[in-house]
Amino acid sequence: MTPAEREQAVTDEVLASFDTTADPRLREVMQSLVRHLHAFARDVRLSEREWEAAIAFLTRAGHITDDRRQEFILLSDVLGLSMLTVAINEPAVPGATEATVFGPFFIDDAPEVELGGDIARGAAGPPCYVSGQVRDTGGHPIAGARIDVWEADEDGFYDVQYSDDRSAGRGRLRAGADGGYRFWSVLPAPYPIPHDGPVGDLLTAAGRGPMRPAHLHFMVTAPGHRTLITHIFVAGDPYLGRDAVFGVKDGLVVDVEHHPAGVAPDGSDRPEAWTSIAFDLVLVAEPTHS
Ligand code: BEZ
Ligand code: FE
């Protein structure tokens, strides 16, 4: 056997070991994974030291991961795997708001906030009034759509990154009868993804930065519609062209309006300067199965 044949024999034996997998999808995924993983190792002629370094990297990622820190999602994000999965599963639909990366900072039981309420709830930053309409691609308002929003404060941290169990910069609200939504928040600021772990070391070694352009996360759900997971990004942000996790799409970049102190659209009297963002959330109707 030539060395190349011996290498191929290893791959073939492992592939065959999955032939008995009862679940056909699991068989397909695992055999493809083995094929590509082995091809990668052959391609780079993976050394034993490099294999050990990879295992040490993954071990560190495991050790730093807990309920509040998800290093494996970060790894997927900086490798572009998260955005590739979005691209595969959420292809652009004309007229619909595009999807982007979920990120690791969503919390399922965010506090309910009334329409027009304040989701900042103590998060630091300049006030920002966010409003728009939830509708489908046919222009029909989606009354009562559930809207989850979450964002970092002006120091670049989500509430869950603080050790004091605070809940701030996030909330869940319902669109009104006309699909309209509005809430007060803080102006999104650029921030670094957590980079004090192995993923941060990888970025440094690659000469890449950890920054994400300023953004506000949305997850919008409504019966009979595809769930939309997206962000809005702030136009003019210096990191728009070099998001550490490749999440920026042109259609998600919005202008921020700056206003002096005074009366806001909801009639409230703002004692300080404030900002506003208008953005409609357009969902894709799902065919109903009877
Ligand atoms: C975020 O935007 O919250 C995020 C996305 C990917 C990695 C880290 C953070
Ligand atoms: Fe974020």
Side-chain angles (χ1 to χ4, degrees):
M1 252 198 222
T2 65
E5 285 168 343
R6 213 169 300 127
E7 287 174 15
Q8 189 57 47
V10 175
T11 303
D12 291 343
E13 190 178 352
V14 180
L15 287 173
S17 78
F18 284 101
D19 281 346
T20 50
T21 307
D23 179 335
R25 176 62 177 164
L26 180 62
R27 183 169 65 242
E28 179 188 6
V29 169
M30 290 312 300
Q31 289 186 327
S32 178
L33 178 67
V34 167
R35 229 177 275 117
H36 286 87
L37 206 54
H38 285 216
F40 153 76
R42 272 195 285 269
D43 183 31
V44 300
R45 305 308 301 162
L46 189 70
S47 73
E48 284 161 320
R49 281 181 64 148
E50 288 162 344
W51 179 88
E52 279 166 18
I55 297 296
F57 178 94
L58 293 172
T59 303
R60 280 180 69 206
H63 284 159
I64 206 171
T65 294
D66 60 21
D67 289 350
R68 295 175 154 253
R69 171 79 181 253
Q70 233 304 354
E71 198 73 1
F72 290 101
I73 294 184
L74 280 187
L75 181 58
S76 164
D77 293 340
V78 304
L79 293 180
L81 181 61
S82 305
M83 279 307 289
L84 178 60
T85 308
V86 170
I88 291 168
N89 292 281
E90 310 292 338
V93 172
T97 304
E98 289 181 281
T100 188
V101 63
F102 197 33
F105 297 126
F106 172 73
I107 288 191
D108 199 20
D109 57 354
E112 303 267 351
V113 175
E114 79 276 15
L115 206 51
D118 180 18
I119 69 117
R121 292 180 302 106
C128 183
Y129 185 74
V130 184
S131 64
Q133 186 193 37
V134 187
R135 60 169 184 268
D136 67 17
T137 51
H140 309 105
I142 305 177
R146 194 180 85 186
I147 306 168
D148 275 286
V149 283
W150 65 105
E151 67 169 333
D153 63 18
E154 69 177 354
D155 296 317
F157 294 109
Y158 287 81
D159 52 2
V160 291
Q161 293 178 281
Y162 291 96
S163 51
D164 57 9
D165 281 338
R166 74 182 68 180
S167 168
R170 68 177 70 243
R172 174 173 287 176
L173 55 149
R174 298 249 169 212
D178 59 354
Y181 78 87
R182 52 199 173 274
F183 58 88
W184 284 95
S185 180
V186 294
L187 183 63
Y191 67 84
I193 63 170
H195 57 111
D196 57 346
V199 169
D201 291 348
L202 174 62
L203 292 177
T204 303
R208 284 173 51 183
M211 293 302 289
R212 295 216 65 204
H215 62 272
L216 173 73
H217 295 256
F218 284 95
M219 179 162 79
V220 189
T221 49
H225 297 80
R226 280 194 85 115
T227 294
L228 171 66
I229 294 170
T230 196
H231 320 339
I232 47 177
F233 294 92
V234 173
D237 188 287
Y239 297 103
L240 281 175
R242 47 196 166 114
D243 181 1
V245 303
F246 312 100
V248 179
K249 291 178 174 171
D250 289 349
L252 302 176
V253 178
V254 298
D255 289 320
V256 173
E257 284 196 42
H258 294 259
H259 312 271
V263 180
D266 62 351
S268 65
D269 204 359
R270 309 302 302 183
E272 292 165 0
W274 54 285
T275 59
S276 66
I277 294 174
F279 189 73
D280 292 340
L281 298 155
V282 184
L283 270 53
V284 179
E286 288 210 301
T288 45
H289 305 283
S290 50

PDB file of all heavy atoms in Angstrom, residues 131-150:
ATOM      1  N   SER A 131     -38.985  52.521  16.301  1.00  0.00           N
ATOM      2  CA  SER A 131     -40.373  52.287  15.922  1.00  0.00           C
ATOM      3  C   SER A 131     -40.452  51.775  14.491  1.00  0.00           C
ATOM      4  O   SER A 131     -39.498  51.898  13.706  1.00  0.00           O
ATOM      5  CB  SER A 131     -41.185  53.588  16.048  1.00  0.00           C
ATOM      6  OG  SER A 131     -40.690  54.543  15.139  1.00  0.00           O
ATOM      7  N   GLY A 132     -41.597  51.201  14.178  1.00  0.00           N
ATOM      8  CA  GLY A 132     -41.814  50.700  12.819  1.00  0.00           C
ATOM      9  C   GLY A 132     -43.066  49.862  12.794  1.00  0.00           C
ATOM     10  O   GLY A 132     -43.897  49.927  13.701  1.00  0.00           O
ATOM     11  N   GLN A 133     -43.176  49.083  11.725  1.00  0.00           N
ATOM     12  CA  GLN A 133     -44.361  48.235  11.576  1.00  0.00           C
ATOM     13  C   GLN A 133     -43.931  46.800  11.280  1.00  0.00           C
ATOM     14  O   GLN A 133     -42.963  46.586  10.537  1.00  0.00           O
ATOM     15  CB  GLN A 133     -45.229  48.741  10.420  1.00  0.00           C
ATOM     16  CG  GLN A 133     -46.554  47.996  10.314  1.00  0.00           C
ATOM     17  CD  GLN A 133     -47.271  48.260   9.004  1.00  0.00           C
ATOM     18  OE1 GLN A 133     -46.648  48.380   7.947  1.00  0.00           O
ATOM     19  NE2 GLN A 133     -48.595  48.338   9.060  1.00  0.00           N
ATOM     20  N   VAL A 134     -44.619  45.844  11.863  1.00  0.00           N
ATOM     21  CA  VAL A 134     -44.423  44.444  11.498  1.00  0.00           C
ATOM     22  C   VAL A 134     -45.490  44.099  10.468  1.00  0.00           C
ATOM     23  O   VAL A 134     -46.680  44.312  10.699  1.00  0.00           O
ATOM     24  CB  VAL A 134     -44.568  43.503  12.724  1.00  0.00           C
ATOM     25  CG1 VAL A 134     -44.188  42.083  12.323  1.00  0.00           C
ATOM     26  CG2 VAL A 134     -43.722  43.974  13.900  1.00  0.00           C
ATOM     27  N   ARG A 135     -45.065  43.613   9.325  1.00  0.00           N
ATOM     28  CA  ARG A 135     -46.015  43.259   8.271  1.00  0.00           C
ATOM     29  C   ARG A 135     -45.456  42.107   7.457  1.00  0.00           C
ATOM     30  O   ARG A 135     -44.299  41.695   7.644  1.00  0.00           O
ATOM     31  CB  ARG A 135     -46.305  44.479   7.389  1.00  0.00           C
ATOM     32  CG  ARG A 135     -45.102  45.049   6.694  1.00  0.00           C
ATOM     33  CD  ARG A 135     -45.495  46.088   5.641  1.00  0.00           C
ATOM     34  NE  ARG A 135     -44.331  46.549   4.918  1.00  0.00           N
ATOM     35  CZ  ARG A 135     -43.587  47.606   5.233  1.00  0.00           C
ATOM     36  NH1 ARG A 135     -43.906  48.351   6.280  1.00  0.00           N
ATOM     37  NH2 ARG A 135     -42.525  47.923   4.514  1.00  0.00           N
ATOM     38  N   ASP A 136     -46.291  41.593   6.548  1.00  0.00           N
ATOM     39  CA  ASP A 136     -45.781  40.529   5.682  1.00  0.00           C
ATOM     40  C   ASP A 136     -45.361  41.123   4.340  1.00  0.00           C
ATOM     41  O   ASP A 136     -45.526  42.325   4.106  1.00  0.00           O
ATOM     42  CB  ASP A 136     -46.806  39.388   5.545  1.00  0.00           C
ATOM     43  CG  ASP A 136     -48.072  39.828   4.795  1.00  0.00           C
ATOM     44  OD1 ASP A 136     -48.050  40.869   4.102  1.00  0.00           O
ATOM     45  OD2 ASP A 136     -49.084  39.114   4.890  1.00  0.00           O
ATOM     46  N   THR A 137     -44.830  40.274   3.476  1.00  0.00           N
ATOM     47  CA  THR A 137     -44.294  40.783   2.212  1.00  0.00           C
ATOM     48  C   THR A 137     -45.401  41.304   1.300  1.00  0.00           C
ATOM     49  O   THR A 137     -45.137  42.012   0.332  1.00  0.00           O
ATOM     50  CB  THR A 137     -43.489  39.702   1.464  1.00  0.00           C
ATOM     51  OG1 THR A 137     -44.290  38.516   1.384  1.00  0.00           O
ATOM     52  CG2 THR A 137     -42.194  39.371   2.173  1.00  0.00           C
ATOM     53  N   GLY A 138     -46.661  40.969   1.636  1.00  0.00           N
ATOM     54  CA  GLY A 138     -47.794  41.502   0.862  1.00  0.00           C
ATOM     55  C   GLY A 138     -48.268  42.840   1.404  1.00  0.00           C
ATOM     56  O   GLY A 138     -49.261  43.387   0.900  1.00  0.00           O
ATOM     57  N   GLY A 139     -47.605  43.343   2.446  1.00  0.00           N
ATOM     58  CA  GLY A 139     -47.973  44.644   2.998  1.00  0.00           C
ATOM     59  C   GLY A 139     -49.036  44.577   4.089  1.00  0.00           C
ATOM     60  O   GLY A 139     -49.487  45.612   4.575  1.00  0.00           O
ATOM     61  N   HIS A 140     -49.450  43.363   4.477  1.00  0.00           N
ATOM     62  CA  HIS A 140     -50.486  43.241   5.516  1.00  0.00           C
ATOM     63  C   HIS A 140     -49.854  43.341   6.895  1.00  0.00           C
ATOM     64  O   HIS A 140     -48.891  42.625   7.186  1.00  0.00           O
ATOM     65  CB  HIS A 140     -51.211  41.889   5.403  1.00  0.00           C
ATOM     66  CG  HIS A 140     -51.707  41.603   4.019  1.00  0.00           C
ATOM     67  ND1 HIS A 140     -51.103  40.694   3.183  1.00  0.00           N
ATOM     68  CD2 HIS A 140     -52.732  42.144   3.323  1.00  0.00           C
ATOM     69  CE1 HIS A 140     -51.737  40.662   2.016  1.00  0.00           C
ATOM     70  NE2 HIS A 140     -52.732  41.550   2.076  1.00  0.00           N
ATOM     71  N   PRO A 141     -50.401  44.209   7.752  1.00  0.00           N
ATOM     72  CA  PRO A 141     -49.867  44.325   9.115  1.00  0.00           C
ATOM     73  C   PRO A 141     -50.028  43.002   9.862  1.00  0.00           C
ATOM     74  O   PRO A 141     -51.005  42.275   9.630  1.00  0.00           O
ATOM     75  CB  PRO A 141     -50.752  45.396   9.770  1.00  0.00           C
ATOM     76  CG  PRO A 141     -51.693  45.879   8.748  1.00  0.00           C
ATOM     77  CD  PRO A 141     -51.562  45.068   7.508  1.00  0.00           C
ATOM     78  N   ILE A 142     -49.085  42.703  10.735  1.00  0.00           N
ATOM     79  CA  ILE A 142     -49.182  41.479  11.539  1.00  0.00           C
ATOM     80  C   ILE A 142     -49.466  41.902  12.972  1.00  0.00           C
ATOM     81  O   ILE A 142     -48.544  42.178  13.759  1.00  0.00           O
ATOM     82  CB  ILE A 142     -47.906  40.625  11.427  1.00  0.00           C
ATOM     83  CG1 ILE A 142     -47.594  40.324   9.947  1.00  0.00           C
ATOM     84  CG2 ILE A 142     -48.069  39.333  12.218  1.00  0.00           C
ATOM     85  CD1 ILE A 142     -46.315  39.551   9.711  1.00  0.00           C
ATOM     86  N   ALA A 143     -50.748  41.986  13.276  1.00  0.00           N
ATOM     87  CA  ALA A 143     -51.169  42.434  14.609  1.00  0.00           C
ATOM     88  C   ALA A 143     -50.700  41.434  15.657  1.00  0.00           C
ATOM     89  O   ALA A 143     -50.754  40.230  15.439  1.00  0.00           O
ATOM     90  CB  ALA A 143     -52.690  42.550  14.651  1.00  0.00           C
ATOM     91  N   GLY A 144     -50.196  41.961  16.764  1.00  0.00           N
ATOM     92  CA  GLY A 144     -49.842  41.107  17.909  1.00  0.00           C
ATOM     93  C   GLY A 144     -48.566  40.309  17.729  1.00  0.00           C
ATOM     94  O   GLY A 144     -48.282  39.433  18.550  1.00  0.00           O
ATOM     95  N   ALA A 145     -47.777  40.569  16.679  1.00  0.00           N
ATOM     96  CA  ALA A 145     -46.509  39.843  16.517  1.00  0.00           C
ATOM     97  C   ALA A 145     -45.669  40.020  17.780  1.00  0.00           C
ATOM     98  O   ALA A 145     -45.642  41.095  18.374  1.00  0.00           O
ATOM     99  CB  ALA A 145     -45.748  40.376  15.301  1.00  0.00           C
ATOM    100  N   ARG A 146     -45.018  38.944  18.173  1.00  0.00           N
ATOM    101  CA  ARG A 146     -44.169  39.035  19.366  1.00  0.00           C
ATOM    102  C   ARG A 146     -42.766  39.486  18.967  1.00  0.00           C
ATOM    103  O   ARG A 146     -42.160  38.922  18.053  1.00  0.00           O
ATOM    104  CB  ARG A 146     -44.090  37.676  20.062  1.00  0.00           C
ATOM    105  CG  ARG A 146     -43.511  37.779  21.455  1.00  0.00           C
ATOM    106  CD  ARG A 146     -43.463  36.419  22.103  1.00  0.00           C
ATOM    107  NE  ARG A 146     -42.241  35.733  21.714  1.00  0.00           N
ATOM    108  CZ  ARG A 146     -41.957  34.481  22.031  1.00  0.00           C
ATOM    109  NH1 ARG A 146     -42.842  33.763  22.691  1.00  0.00           N
ATOM    110  NH2 ARG A 146     -40.821  33.917  21.658  1.00  0.00           N
ATOM    111  N   ILE A 147     -42.297  40.517  19.630  1.00  0.00           N
ATOM    112  CA  ILE A 147     -41.002  41.100  19.280  1.00  0.00           C
ATOM    113  C   ILE A 147     -40.086  41.023  20.491  1.00  0.00           C
ATOM    114  O   ILE A 147     -40.362  41.618  21.535  1.00  0.00           O
ATOM    115  CB  ILE A 147     -41.159  42.585  18.869  1.00  0.00           C
ATOM    116  CG1 ILE A 147     -42.190  42.715  17.751  1.00  0.00           C
ATOM    117  CG2 ILE A 147     -39.826  43.184  18.462  1.00  0.00           C
ATOM    118  CD1 ILE A 147     -42.613  44.160  17.492  1.00  0.00           C
ATOM    119  N   ASP A 148     -39.005  40.262  20.363  1.00  0.00           N
ATOM    120  CA  ASP A 148     -37.966  40.261  21.394  1.00  0.00           C
ATOM    121  C   ASP A 148     -36.852  41.179  20.917  1.00  0.00           C
ATOM    122  O   ASP A 148     -36.433  41.094  19.745  1.00  0.00           O
ATOM    123  CB  ASP A 148     -37.388  38.856  21.572  1.00  0.00           C
ATOM    124  CG  ASP A 148     -38.204  38.023  22.526  1.00  0.00           C
ATOM    125  OD1 ASP A 148     -38.121  38.269  23.741  1.00  0.00           O
ATOM    126  OD2 ASP A 148     -38.942  37.126  22.057  1.00  0.00           O
ATOM    127  N   VAL A 149     -36.377  42.042  21.808  1.00  0.00           N
ATOM    128  CA  VAL A 149     -35.241  42.904  21.456  1.00  0.00           C
ATOM    129  C   VAL A 149     -34.195  42.788  22.550  1.00  0.00           C
ATOM    130  O   VAL A 149     -34.531  42.643  23.720  1.00  0.00           O
ATOM    131  CB  VAL A 149     -35.646  44.390  21.294  1.00  0.00           C
ATOM    132  CG1 VAL A 149     -36.324  44.619  19.978  1.00  0.00           C
ATOM    133  CG2 VAL A 149     -36.528  44.887  22.399  1.00  0.00           C
ATOM    134  N   TRP A 150     -32.945  42.847  22.155  1.00  0.00           N
ATOM    135  CA  TRP A 150     -31.875  42.848  23.150  1.00  0.00           C
ATOM    136  C   TRP A 150     -30.656  43.558  22.591  1.00  0.00           C
ATOM    137  O   TRP A 150     -30.421  43.581  21.390  1.00  0.00           O
ATOM    138  CB  TRP A 150     -31.552  41.440  23.655  1.00  0.00           C
ATOM    139  CG  TRP A 150     -30.978  40.429  22.693  1.00  0.00           C
ATOM    140  CD1 TRP A 150     -29.693  39.989  22.616  1.00  0.00           C
ATOM    141  CD2 TRP A 150     -31.688  39.660  21.685  1.00  0.00           C
ATOM    142  NE1 TRP A 150     -29.559  39.021  21.648  1.00  0.00           N
ATOM    143  CE2 TRP A 150     -30.759  38.801  21.073  1.00  0.00           C
ATOM    144  CE3 TRP A 150     -33.025  39.636  21.247  1.00  0.00           C
ATOM    145  CZ2 TRP A 150     -31.121  37.929  20.041  1.00  0.00           C
ATOM    146  CZ3 TRP A 150     -33.377  38.763  20.223  1.00  0.00           C
ATOM    147  CH2 TRP A 150     -32.432  37.918  19.639  1.00  0.00           C
TER     148      TRP A 150
END
